[in-house]
Amino acid sequence: MNKTAKTLLLLLAAFFLFIGLKSYQHATTYTELTDVQAINGTILQLHCPPKGAASLTLSDSAATYNLSVKFRTDYCDDKDSQALLGKDVTMQAVQVDGDFYQVYQLKEKDRIILNPEEVEADQTSATLGLFFLALLLTALVAYKSRQGNKQ
């Protein structure tokens, strides 16, 4: 591995570390949030990507409500996702950007479908993933540097 490639990989690792630190610093637990809104509505559509977190839209709103990865794995199959369509729900959500909200709690009648711990777990795993990626890139550069010195 040449010196330019090592430098670029180390810069990329530093970038991931920086983003991970910023994510860690700005992570706020649900109990510390001050701008939580209670939103009531009827589920119009579930958005279930193959990877990542699911989201939903309500029948009387143009906003998108981001859910969690666990919600996607639990409710985004043909049987369960169709059962939620048309249901009246109550959400505790925070506006993140324009018409995008992060849902921390989703309830249908008295049944809790999504709780704040699941959302916080997603946020924590994303932050840890950034740290791991930075460590992996640094280890790769160190390994290749060591290997190059032996030759």
Side-chain angles (χ1 to χ4, degrees):
M1 182 180 296
N2 65 27
K3 187 175 182 176
T4 305
K6 289 177 190 177
T7 303
L8 288 175
L9 286 175
L10 287 175
L11 284 172
L12 190 59
F15 175 72
F16 286 134
L17 182 62
F18 175 75
I19 298 295
L21 288 172
K22 285 294 190 187
S23 174
Y24 177 74
Q25 286 176 339
H26 294 310
T28 306
T29 61
Y30 177 71
T31 56
E32 296 173 339
L33 293 172
T34 58
D35 51 351
V36 177
Q37 301 174 27
I39 300 166
N40 297 313
T42 304
I43 296 177
L44 175 67
Q45 185 176 17
L46 285 175
H47 309 281
C48 297
K51 293 185 179 186
S55 62
L56 63 83
T57 52
L58 299 176
S59 58
D60 57 350
S61 174
T64 300
Y65 300 92
N66 298 322
L67 302 168
S68 71
V69 174
K70 185 174 183 324
F71 179 92
R72 181 184 51 80
T73 58
D74 289 349
Y75 292 96
C76 281
D77 60 15
D78 291 335
K79 181 183 71 157
D80 289 331
S81 66
Q82 297 302 316
L84 291 175
L85 295 179
K87 298 288 184 182
D88 292 326
V89 293
T90 302
M91 297 183 289
Q92 300 293 320
V94 174
Q95 187 173 11
V96 228
D97 184 35
D99 283 342
F100 292 95
Y101 290 79
Q102 176 59 58
V103 176
Y104 281 88
Q105 186 176 52
L106 177 65
K107 288 172 70 172
E108 189 256 328
K109 295 183 182 173
D110 288 332
R111 182 179 82 156
I112 295 178
I113 298 172
L114 176 70
N115 62 48
E117 291 80 22
E118 294 169 3
V119 177
E120 289 173 357
D122 282 355
Q123 293 168 347
T124 300
S125 68
T127 301
L128 289 175
L130 288 168
F131 289 138
F132 179 71
L133 196 52
L135 177 67
L136 189 65
L137 287 172
T138 305
L140 176 68
V141 170
Y143 175 74
K144 289 294 188 177
S145 294
R146 184 172 171 223
Q147 201 176 37
N149 291 339
K150 287 185 177 181
Q151 292 176 353

